[in-house]
Amino acid sequence: MNHIQTVLIIGFVWPEPNSSAAGGRMLQLITQFQQQGYSITFASPAMDSDFMVDLAALNVDKKTIALNCSSFDIFVKELNPAIVLFDRFMIEEQFGWRVAENCPNALRILDTEDLHCLRSARQKAFKAHRDFVITDTLKEEVAKREIASILRCDLSLIISEFEMELLEKIFKIDSQLLYYLPFLLEPISQSTFEKLPSFEERNDFVFIGNFLHEPNWNAVQYLKESIWPLIRKQLPNTNLNIYGAYPSQKALQLHQPKDGFYIKGRANDANEVVQNARIVLAPLRFGAGIKGKLIEAIQCGTPSITTSIGAESMQGNLPWNGFITDDVTEFTKAAAELYMDKQLWTTAQQNGIAIINQRYSKEKFENDFAAKIQFLLANLSQHRLDNFMGALLQHHTLTSTKYMSRWIETKNSKEKKN
């Protein structure tokens, strides 16, 4: 009888698919590995949250682990996973060396989610009122950590083609270490769309996004100060409903019913909220990755108006399901037109179906991803020999990380004794 091999996923947080796109992405990866015949253990040093997914219901073992503690070494050695997936580079920094030391033959995969150095460089350029240039990413302190993590891993999953190009051309990462894997979605049938609320049954505008994510909070402020007053002037009977997990006090203070601007907080059912809106507004001015809110809008049959950063790497050469513009006046004009014109709205909705089915349909990626994993597992020693920079970083960086972690562990145990 064949022994079922394990994939160990080490999460930065427990997956919350209803709070962020990252949570949904993680469930897609879990499904992929289960389909390939692996059993899954999900471990995280994070506290449990009220909104985390029920891992047991997904047939996933849950394990709470400690930072800077050799108890992880014992745990990982006993588990002896065939594959370890790190959720973001910070987790690889913490646990990568321990995995390499205790399970040297495990395939180490990094899920980048989105490139932090790109998001950070764009945010700084935005705040300094200057244009972002691609080489700004090289100056980011976080880039050194993020790229080191990519080099140390056997494979990094990249969600956006723009980020693939950035890593290969600007950071000169060997393409063998990178794998383009966007959101993996069910294709949309025309009959599914026919069951959704019609143009006439929908009203108002919606923005949805986790408030802990800086690009979302910035977009909400931008809507409040610059965009919504202009839309409201053209469409005085409409409202903008802002939904998102973890709203701050500052966000709640923007609630202005007399201006049709409503801060609603967490949506109990994001799909329902988006399906009943006529249009999604997403004026993102910095960020990275692929935007879950815009994918969700398409799946709900809701056209969207966003910026070039919002739509980056999302539609390839297909028409957008709405409008893409970085100009406030254009944004406002597009919102009013799309809101009032049923034909324009229906065409936008159809454009969305094509984007999902041609760019994100999971069957386009599943077999190739499984084959890539099998190939790496079968050729791991050669793959690592070819990645000398990774071996060098593993040797040096992790020696320093290891001793720092050991020092913290010793210090903690001394404090407990005292």
Side-chain angles (χ1 to χ4, degrees):
M1 192 175 132
N2 281 345
H3 170 65
I4 294 176
Q5 291 187 303
T6 300
V7 172
L8 169 63
I9 300 175
I10 310 179
F12 183 65
V13 291
W14 303 105
E16 287 188 24
N18 295 327
S19 301
S20 72
R25 156 78 161 184
M26 185 50 76
L27 296 198
Q28 291 162 17
L29 293 175
I30 287 170
T31 304
Q32 287 305 307
F33 286 119
Q34 286 176 329
Q35 284 175 357
Q36 290 174 33
Y38 293 99
S39 72
I40 313 284
T41 297
F42 195 105
S44 177
M47 303 278 284
D48 284 9
S49 86
D50 294 343
F51 302 101
M52 60 193 269
V53 75
D54 179 359
L55 289 167
L58 300 173
N59 207 12
V60 172
D61 288 332
K62 176 178 179 284
K63 170 81 179 168
T64 299
I65 49 177
L67 296 169
N68 304 305
C69 183
S70 50
S71 60
F72 177 83
D73 303 350
I74 299 159
F75 155 69
V76 80
K77 214 174 218 165
E78 277 177 13
L79 187 67
N80 192 25
I83 300 170
V84 178
L85 177 82
F86 303 102
D87 167 30
R88 301 174 208 165
F89 77 89
M90 303 80 93
I91 284 294
E92 187 278 334
E93 285 179 331
Q94 280 287 343
F95 295 100
W97 65 271
R98 291 185 184 274
V99 170
E101 205 167 72
N102 293 289
C103 302
N105 299 323
L107 177 68
R108 297 189 298 272
I109 302 177
L110 174 66
D111 186 33
T112 56
E113 295 287 359
D114 59 23
L115 287 182
H116 293 64
C117 61
L118 176 60
R119 190 178 346 134
S120 175
R122 279 181 168 155
Q123 189 169 340
K124 282 180 188 163
F126 170 76
K127 296 215 160 144
H129 305 290
R130 60 176 174 78
D131 287 341
F132 163 79
V133 287
I134 198 78
T135 49
D136 286 349
T137 51
L138 293 165
K139 301 170 196 160
E140 284 300 306
E141 200 55 41
V142 75
K144 298 178 179 72
R145 295 171 55 198
E146 197 165 23
I147 299 302
S149 184
I150 287 171
L151 287 167
R152 283 191 298 261
C153 287
D154 301 308
L155 193 68
S156 288
L157 306 180
I158 311 299
I159 206 162
S160 131
E161 292 151 324
F162 180 83
E163 293 178 13
M164 284 288 281
E165 202 173 315
L166 170 69
L167 290 167
E168 288 177 19
K169 293 195 173 157
I170 303 297
F171 289 101
K172 309 286 192 277
I173 305 283
D174 183 346
S175 62
Q176 291 305 305
L177 298 176
L178 305 173
Y179 190 80
Y180 171 61
L181 196 69
F183 290 136
L184 305 167
L185 307 173
E186 293 290 347
I188 299 173
S189 68
Q190 201 62 49
S191 59
T192 308
F193 257 35
E194 282 158 14
K195 293 185 193 119
L196 295 172
S198 68
F199 176 82
E200 291 82 6
E201 288 170 321
R202 297 166 179 249
N203 52 41
D204 294 338
F205 294 86
V206 70
F207 172 89
I208 192 160
N210 188 322
F211 280 96
L212 296 178
H213 194 54
E214 188 67 31
N216 287 338
W217 167 230
N218 179 269
V220 170
Q221 291 171 294
Y222 189 30
L223 282 165
K224 179 76 170 78
E225 290 157 19
S226 307
I227 296 172
W228 182 245
L230 297 174
I231 295 176
R232 177 79 172 191
K233 201 176 277 182
Q234 292 199 40
L235 303 167
N237 298 321
T238 58
N239 299 310
L240 171 56
N241 297 307
I242 308 271
Y243 287 90
Y246 307 109
S248 64
Q249 201 48 49
K250 276 194 298 188
L252 295 169
Q253 282 168 357
L254 298 181
H255 184 71
Q256 284 282 315
K258 68 177 173 56
D259 301 328
F261 195 92
Y262 293 86
I263 303 284
K264 302 268 192 164
R266 181 185 287 273
N268 292 329
D269 182 341
N271 274 354
E272 191 185 324
V273 161
V274 178
Q275 276 178 28
N276 287 309
R278 198 174 281 180
I279 293 173
V280 164
L281 301 178
L284 300 161
R285 293 188 283 186
F286 50 86
I290 294 180
K291 311 305 176 292
K293 62 175 68 54
L294 294 174
I295 290 284
E296 182 176 58
I298 293 173
Q299 290 174 315
C300 293
T302 313
S304 63
I305 302 167
T306 189
T307 55
S308 50
I309 282 182
E312 182 175 271
S313 284
M314 287 191 68
Q315 92 266 36
N317 55 10
L318 298 169
W320 188 245
N321 77 317
F323 291 97
I324 301 167
T325 175
D326 296 321
D327 178 81
V328 173
T329 311
E330 286 288 315
F331 199 101
T332 307
K333 184 167 165 275
E337 273 181 30
L338 198 52
Y339 195 86
M340 300 303 289
D341 186 333
K342 182 178 177 177
Q343 199 174 346
L344 190 64
W345 188 90
T346 308
T347 304
Q349 195 185 52
Q350 291 298 318
N351 290 345
I353 297 183
I355 291 171
I356 297 280
N357 292 351
Q358 292 181 41
R359 307 249 322 145
Y360 300 102
S361 179
K362 61 182 185 178
E363 56 227 29
K364 288 185 183 294
F365 299 95
E366 285 174 334
N367 292 342
D368 190 72
F369 180 51
K372 180 74 176 178
I373 299 293
Q374 287 312 310
F375 176 81
L376 287 174
L377 286 168
N379 300 280
L380 196 51
S381 51
Q382 186 58 49
H383 181 73
R384 286 180 178 168
L385 271 179
D386 294 341
N387 179 19
F388 181 76
M389 293 307 284
L392 179 130
L393 281 165
Q394 194 77 356
H395 176 77
H396 285 288
T397 322
L398 296 196
T399 302
S400 59
T401 309
K402 174 178 170 177
Y403 287 113
M404 174 57 109
S405 187
R406 293 268 192 249
W407 178 79
I408 293 169
E409 189 178 354
T410 309
K411 183 169 163 285
N412 288 348
S413 66
K414 277 181 183 165
E415 283 170 3
K416 272 183 195 157
K417 280 175 192 164
N418 294 338

